[in-house]
Amino acid sequence: MARAKDVAKLLRGGVNDKTSPARLAEIMKALRHAEIAKGITPEKLVSLLEELGPTFIKLGQILSARSDMLPQEYCNALQTLRSSTTPEPFSLVERRLRDLYDGDWHDVFSDIAAEPLGSASIAQVYKATLAESGETVAIKIRRDHVRQDMVRDIALMRRASDLLNLTGSTMIQGVDINVVIDELDRTVREEIDFNVERENLERFGRGLATEPGVTCPKAYDEYSDETVLVMEFVDGLSLEHVDELREAGYNLREIGDRIANSFMRQMVENGFYHADPHSANFIVRPALSDEERAAGKKDPGEVVWIDCGMMGELSPYERRLFFEMMKAMIAQDSHRLTNLFVEWGRVKDVPGKSFDYSALLQDLSALVNRYSSEDAHSMDVAQLLNDIMGILDHANVIMPQSFVMLVRGLASLQGTLISLSPEISILAVVERYVKSYFVRNFDLIDEAEDRVFTSMAAADKALHLPERISNVLDMTEKGRLRIKFDVEAPRPMEKIGHIIDRLSLSMITARPGQLYVYPFLKWYSAVFCTFTDDFLKIFTVYLTHIRESGSEFFDIRPDQRTWHCCCNVICDQHKVTRSE
């Protein structure tokens, strides 16, 4: 039920808003033009968002990673969103540059090309020359009013969310719309603040410093601010122009392998990676001088990552999980893969749905088996990743944004690599990377220390196991322990008996130089299928006899008299003939 103060707050916000009605009329016009009343296909949704402008394009890009809210085919379509637009007049650009550089941009740049190198919904890029050093640079300039427009659109979305809240709930498929709007708000504020991209370039450049033949543009801090980013001009060929790259003599297969290895290093070793690795965000420039090329040397080219506004970040914990997932995929270990997904993700809170571990394991096992029979070079990695996301969604497991962004980046990278050379396989690159990572990071002493530490931790837990079992049994004897089973198998205790028998389950206590094994569970498992319902009661009889004999249960082995007495009581109660 909506509260009066919520209604009043919503009405007051609408009365005070003098700009949103016009924008709302624009949105309604676009919706009518798209004829959404007749239904909306993935392609129509993409066109609609592009027509609505930068805020909605960014919203679509965020929703492309939310397969928990939208069907997968819509998520795939939204990944194609691009924001190329008509450039704004250069006179507006000059005005903003004069404001930034104290009235005269000529003190900083000797010239600026009037035609932009590129134009998008948030900014456009121009080629220029620094007046002091003569270096050629690229100037990224934010469009006029883009901040105000995007903030206004987000305010409209919040108002719509408030209306939904008044009528009931803002939840869709278990996801709160307000959470998505908050993510959009954060992403937009970061992307329209070019100080963030400048810091990204600096951090990204430090991570790439040790990689030969891979780099990113240098930023010029002294000439940049929130609305203008001045960076190194990259003179080369875009990966979009495959034929021109081939004519220039570049080895496209080698370039593709270099890009893939760089991406793996960014995710696993640096934890800071380019989240949008499509072809337009790479430039290949000469790595050799004119003299070296004239001398007949083969130019391998230098790969430059550009447009670092959208970056992904993984914590050390997430990097470890991702690396373990890659190992599990290579080893075709579906059990390990299932456990890793469960550890990294969370179960969706959706009424009527529950988490089914066995179904998730079965589906992932089938997926791993199916794809393991295919050739790595012909495998559709994008489809593999979509299948994984579909399985997780079916199992009611939702992965965090960090994982979804990573998966989206891998799918985008696969498309880029295929455009360069059909023989390149991201999975083959992953396998080579995992093996080389082991070789580069293997340390015999560290490995031995880890093994010893793990063994000591396991031994410590084993020493405390008798005490914990004793506590549980005390609770059972006093009626404080309740155990609930969800049973589907007709004879579940028979299966448990086999498990106990196979594992040689026993109760163990240790002393220096001595090891005492209680044969009760082993003996009981032999007749488990005959009497099962009174197991705890029988075990209590066993403990009672041990205690009446005056022995400390976890200190010494019960004498033969106590053991025989216990066994006789059990067998008499269940009409079982005892065999020694």
Side-chain angles (χ1 to χ4, degrees), residues 59-74:
L59 175 63
Q61 291 172 343
I62 290 174
L63 290 176
S64 70
R66 301 304 298 262
S67 59
D68 54 328
M69 295 185 67
L70 295 176
Q72 191 61 51
E73 58 268 26
Y74 284 82

Side-chain angles (χ1 to χ4, degrees), residues 460-515:
D460 184 64
K461 289 182 179 180
L463 288 174
H464 288 86
L465 183 61
E467 179 184 354
R468 293 184 177 184
I469 295 177
S470 178
N471 292 337
V472 171
L473 295 174
D474 283 341
M475 292 175 64
T476 303
E477 190 176 29
K478 296 174 182 177
R480 295 178 180 175
L481 180 67
R482 177 175 295 179
I483 302 176
K484 179 181 178 181
F485 288 96
D486 289 329
V487 177
E488 295 181 3
R491 302 185 69 184
M493 301 308 288
E494 180 178 354
K495 293 186 177 182
I496 296 177
H498 293 327
I499 292 172
I500 293 177
D501 191 49
R502 289 177 61 187
L503 296 178
S504 299
L505 185 63
S506 55
M507 300 175 64
I508 302 172
T509 63
R511 274 184 178 178
Q514 293 178 310
L515 182 67

Side-chain angles (χ1 to χ4, degrees), residues 231-294:
M231 51 191 162
E232 172 189 4
F233 176 75
V234 182
D235 189 10
L237 295 172
S238 170
L239 283 193
E240 294 177 301
H241 306 141
V242 176
D243 292 337
E244 295 180 27
L245 287 167
R246 190 176 291 112
E247 290 174 4
Y250 293 121
N251 185 334
L252 301 187
R253 173 67 183 271
E254 190 277 332
I255 287 176
D257 285 339
R258 202 188 315 165
I259 291 172
N261 278 304
S262 174
F263 194 65
M264 296 304 301
R265 278 178 171 269
Q266 293 168 31
M267 291 186 293
V268 177
E269 299 178 40
N270 302 336
F272 189 68
Y273 63 94
H274 199 297
D276 194 16
H278 64 84
S279 299
N281 283 340
F282 295 95
I283 292 178
V284 179
R285 65 184 177 188
L288 301 179
S289 65
D290 294 338
E291 293 76 13
E292 288 174 314
R293 289 197 298 274

Side-chain angles (χ1 to χ4, degrees), residues 83-102:
S83 55
S84 298
T85 59
T86 304
E88 62 182 0
F90 187 66
S91 57
L92 295 178
V93 174
E94 283 191 298
R95 187 185 66 191
R96 285 198 294 282
L97 290 176
R98 284 195 298 269
D99 293 340
L100 175 62
Y101 299 120
D102 298 326

Side-chain angles (χ1 to χ4, degrees), residues 519 557-568 578 580:
R557 186 174 63 179
D559 56 30
Q560 289 297 315
R561 182 184 61 80
T562 301
W563 175 247
H564 283 287
C565 180
C566 176
C567 292
N568 289 334
R578 178 183 167 197
E580 297 296 335

Side-chain angles (χ1 to χ4, degrees), residues 413-442:
L413 180 65
Q414 174 71 2
T416 298
L417 297 179
I418 290 176
S419 69
L420 286 177
S421 175
E423 297 86 28
I424 301 177
S425 167
I426 187 66
L427 290 184
V429 172
V430 166
E431 185 171 356
R432 288 199 303 271
Y433 175 81
V434 169
K435 292 177 180 178
S436 68
Y437 183 85
F438 270 123
V439 172
R440 286 186 285 112
N441 293 275
F442 182 78

